[in-house]
Amino acid sequence: MENDIVPDLLATIQSEFDNQVVLNPKLKKLLAQLSLKKATYLDANEFAIEIGKVLTNVFEQNVSVEVLPNGKMYFNIAERLLNPTLKNNYDLISSYVVDLQTELNHSVGLKIKGQSAEINQDRIVGLINKISDSDDFNDVKWLLKEPIINFSQSVVDDAIKENVEFQSKAGFSPKIKRSLDNSKACKWCRNLEGTYEYPDVPSDVYRRHERCQCTVEYIPNGKKRQDVWSKDWIDPDKKEKVEARKQMNLTERKW
Ligand SMILES: [Zn+2]
């Protein structure tokens, strides 16, 4: 196609992103924590916010009505810019969480590797649809700010959910702690504040509204529940139970 701006624009965005990530002192510190095996979920949350902010900055510096044809973020442009960049954020954050979760598991004697959640493609598609819906990019450019950071944080939240459910199926009782980001937190967030033990977890505990910087943490527990292999098994889906056991056996052999 003549005048396809995407290949060059994407290449610029990706290389500037990589440069800014490498030079970012906060990310450097958080990665050091991880390699020292000292990272926590609060670090993961900070890492996600920062990775989100870097991408937001790079978009802001490179995407504008001036570079877009007719000043519009067409669907086929949005798709090709957002899919790879958000996937990259997902990959970076996911890998941070898997390493940290593996470490947390080991710290309480669980020989289970950290799990990652699947990428939330629906959210990406939603963003692409929304941003290409307007004829004037200026009306929708805010979508490349806060929602990108929010998406990045959700990678951590989704991973916590995945790990908590996986471990619960394997017979352990991990807990989830949600804390408010500040004293001005909204009523919805206040309601969700607290420590929960699976399966008594409100489903909204992993959700966050715009600009919500509440933190969600996973608290490991190496003790097996009493009821684990009895008829009180909480998961009605037998196949999943077998899968969870199989995976545990596999990872146990590895360590
Ligand atoms: Zn909040």
Side-chain angles (χ1 to χ4, degrees), residues 116-130:
S116 63
E118 268 175 43
I119 189 165
N120 190 339
Q121 192 61 32
D122 287 351
R123 262 184 94 139
I124 298 178
V125 170
L127 209 52
I128 292 169
N129 285 332
K130 221 166 161 183

Side-chain angles (χ1 to χ4, degrees), residues 7-254:
D8 283 350
L9 184 56
L10 180 61
T12 305
I13 287 169
Q14 287 171 328
S15 92
E16 284 187 16
F17 177 88
D18 290 346
N19 289 340
Q20 290 192 26
V21 164
V22 172
L23 295 173
N24 186 300
K26 216 179 229 177
L27 291 174
K28 213 179 271 184
K29 197 191 92 202
L30 292 166
L31 287 167
Q33 284 291 96
L34 187 66
S35 49
L36 290 170
K37 301 185 188 300
K38 282 183 185 164
T40 65
Y41 264 104
L42 299 182
D43 293 323
N45 186 54
E46 235 185 282
F47 183 81
I49 292 174
E50 204 58 27
I51 287 284
K53 278 186 183 164
V54 171
L55 184 57
T56 289
N57 284 338
V58 175
F59 277 144
E60 198 166 10
Q61 288 153 5
N62 292 284
V63 186
S64 64
V65 282
E66 286 78 30
V67 306
L68 295 170
N70 305 318
K72 175 178 164 72
M73 176 67 89
Y74 287 92
F75 180 84
N76 82 86
I77 297 176
E79 210 182 13
R80 288 179 296 152
L81 288 184
L82 291 178
N83 270 323
T85 50
L86 290 177
K87 168 76 165 60
N88 186 52
N89 273 26
Y90 162 83
D91 286 339
L92 292 171
I93 297 161
S94 250
S95 116
Y96 194 98
V97 174
V98 166
D99 286 359
L100 125 78
Q101 179 71 49
T102 301
E103 216 37 64
L104 278 175
N105 291 348
H106 289 177
S107 75
V108 292
L110 291 186
K111 290 170 180 165
I112 308 174
K113 196 175 176 297
Q115 305 290 305
S116 63
E118 268 175 43
I119 189 165
N120 190 339
Q121 192 61 32
D122 287 351
R123 262 184 94 139
I124 298 178
V125 170
L127 209 52
I128 292 169
N129 285 332
K130 221 166 161 183
I131 203 164
S132 57
D133 198 38
S134 166
D135 285 334
D136 185 353
F137 175 67
N138 277 333
D139 292 341
V140 282
K141 63 180 180 190
W142 65 272
L143 288 166
L144 295 184
K145 293 184 178 169
E146 161 61 22
I148 300 281
I149 295 168
N150 201 295
F151 168 84
S152 303
Q153 285 176 278
S154 76
V155 176
V156 179
D157 304 330
D158 291 350
I160 294 182
K161 180 170 192 240
E162 193 72 27
N163 280 284
V164 166
E165 291 182 354
F166 178 83
Q167 294 192 9
S168 182
K169 281 172 196 158
F172 297 94
S173 309
K175 287 180 185 159
I176 302 156
K177 183 179 165 198
R178 179 164 174 140
S179 318
L180 301 173
D181 56 339
N182 62 52
S183 54
K184 288 175 297 194
C186 67
K187 205 178 152 200
W188 187 76
C189 285
R190 268 176 214 288
N191 269 329
L192 287 172
E193 184 189 24
T195 302
Y196 307 95
E197 189 173 321
Y198 198 85
D200 300 316
V201 179
S203 58
D204 279 350
V205 81
Y206 307 106
R207 296 184 56 201
R208 56 179 75 245
H209 53 80
E210 259 181 50
R211 289 177 211 285
C212 169
Q213 303 213 329
C214 290
T215 56
V216 183
E217 287 171 272
Y218 155 96
I219 302 168
N221 180 356
K223 282 199 209 101
K224 276 215 168 189
R225 286 193 310 270
Q226 292 299 309
D227 64 342
V228 178
W229 308 119
S230 75
K231 58 184 186 313
D232 296 332
W233 180 257
I234 51 162
D235 189 339
D237 188 345
K238 252 191 175 167
K239 214 178 94 203
E240 266 184 277
K241 172 180 156 187
V242 172
E243 257 328 292
R245 291 194 73 172
K246 262 202 299 209
Q247 286 202 48
M248 273 194 68
N249 290 338
L250 282 178
T251 44
E252 253 162 22
R253 242 175 268 140
K254 249 189 263 165

